[in-house]
Amino acid sequence: MLSPFDIWSPTFHAPFSGDVTQEITPRVFSPDIKGSMGIENRVQTQVASYGKQLGKILEALMVLAAKDNTKLPDIQKLIDDIEEVKTDAKDLLREEAIAALARLEKADPEAHAELTNLK
């Protein structure tokens, strides 16, 4: 589907790269949003992201499945894959923090000591 902004973002193919485009359509013009944009935005920013909401639903589904002794392998794989992504993200964040602390130690040993002795 074309948006009014497509004239400013023509399709460009760099050598050996395939499409080099990204759809960036303001949510105001999105035909995919149903209901009240204001409510949706407040729920996502003040209550819980879609991921958090879906996580609670998946949790409840697994509890109900366990009570009925029903196997849901596709749902369990989805949950496992999500947990793997979360673990990978935490590991990457930890690695980035360690690298940042090492750089801080070289640049400002006093600040490094202050931050690492917060306990």
Side-chain angles (χ1 to χ4, degrees):
M1 172 173 192
L2 292 176
S3 77
F5 300 100
D6 288 339
I7 61 171
W8 290 295
S9 60
T11 302
F12 173 72
H13 295 278
F16 308 111
S17 70
D19 281 348
V20 185
T21 62
Q22 176 181 1
E23 181 180 341
I24 303 174
T25 305
R27 292 183 56 125
V28 175
F29 299 115
S30 176
D32 301 325
I33 303 296
K34 305 293 184 225
S36 169
M37 291 282 295
I39 292 171
E40 291 292 329
N41 187 42
R42 284 184 61 197
V43 168
Q44 288 180 351
T45 58
Q46 297 176 14
V47 180
S49 67
Y50 288 139
K52 181 70 97 175
Q53 294 173 48
L54 289 171
K56 293 294 182 185
I57 291 168
L58 290 174
E59 241 178 73
L61 185 59
M62 293 307 288
V63 167
L64 293 173
K67 285 187 177 187
D68 283 349
N69 202 24
T70 302
K71 302 289 184 212
L72 300 173
D74 291 341
I75 301 297
Q76 187 59 56
K77 178 165 180 7
L78 177 63
I79 291 169
D80 294 343
D81 290 350
I82 291 168
E83 287 304 315
E84 183 178 339
V85 168
K86 287 180 177 180
T87 299
D88 290 348
K90 288 178 185 177
D91 291 345
L92 179 61
L93 185 59
R94 180 181 298 262
E95 290 170 13
E96 290 171 353
I98 289 169
L101 282 171
R103 289 191 307 272
L104 180 63
E105 185 176 27
K106 288 180 183 177
D108 188 349
E110 289 177 10
H112 178 269
E114 183 181 323
L115 284 174
T116 55
N117 294 320
L118 291 176
K119 295 180 183 180

